Amino acid sequence: DADVTQTPRNRITKTGKRIMLECSQTKGHDRMYWYRQDPGLGLRLIYYSFDVKDINKGEISDGYSVSRQAQAKFSLSLESAIPNQTALYFCATSEPTGQGYNEQFFGPGTRLTVL
Amino acid sequence: KNEVEQSPQNLTAQEGEFITINCSYSVGISALHWLQQHPGGGIVSLFMLSSGKKKHGRLIATINIQEKHSSLHITASHPRDSAVYICAVGAYSGGGADGLTFGKGTHLIIQP
């Protein structure tokens, strides 16, 4: 079984709809991240969470919100979806090494299309 | 904010060729990551390094901290190496949880 899972894997929705993307992990990591990937722009950080009580905005958090329901679950919500939120979304987890940097483990991605 | 530049953006080569992908960044980092993304979209971590050189099979990654530059080499390339290779840098995390800053990726195609 995959260590980091995302649901749904694909979603088509309409402008103005609320949508939630879910991420679950069995790695036991405290740190979780949401990224989006757009052609030609690479991956960009939306939100990250240090633990259940610590949630931080990333580079492009406008239009998104998150919820860390448990150590293993980190959800991303689009309150009112718009077409330029069409992208591939990745969840990732990490655990700090002794030298203070984090190897990241990615989920399989969710392809979201907003019409 | 760290700027991460990769080159080339696209690379097509013949099977067996030696491949080099370059990455440069603008601000000092704690670690640099090389990631691989296959056409299905999944992302796999290949290397994480903060100094020197690492080798896994036919893949070699090097980093020069003073020059803020890293290279990913593939020896004896094979069509199954065809993928997008992404360089990403991480700030020193300490007690923080900063995510990565990514390059735009290098799209590699190895022809039989």
Side-chain angles (χ1 to χ4, degrees), chain B residues 16-29:
Chain B
E17 287 188 35
F18 182 81
I19 303 298
T20 296
I21 300 170
N22 295 299
C23 176
S24 61
Y25 52 92
S26 57
V27 178
I29 60 170

Side-chain angles (χ1 to χ4, degrees), chain B residues 24 29 32 61 72 74 85 104:
Chain B
S24 61
I29 60 170
L32 183 140
L72 176 68
I74 305 175
Y85 292 85
K104 295 179 180 179

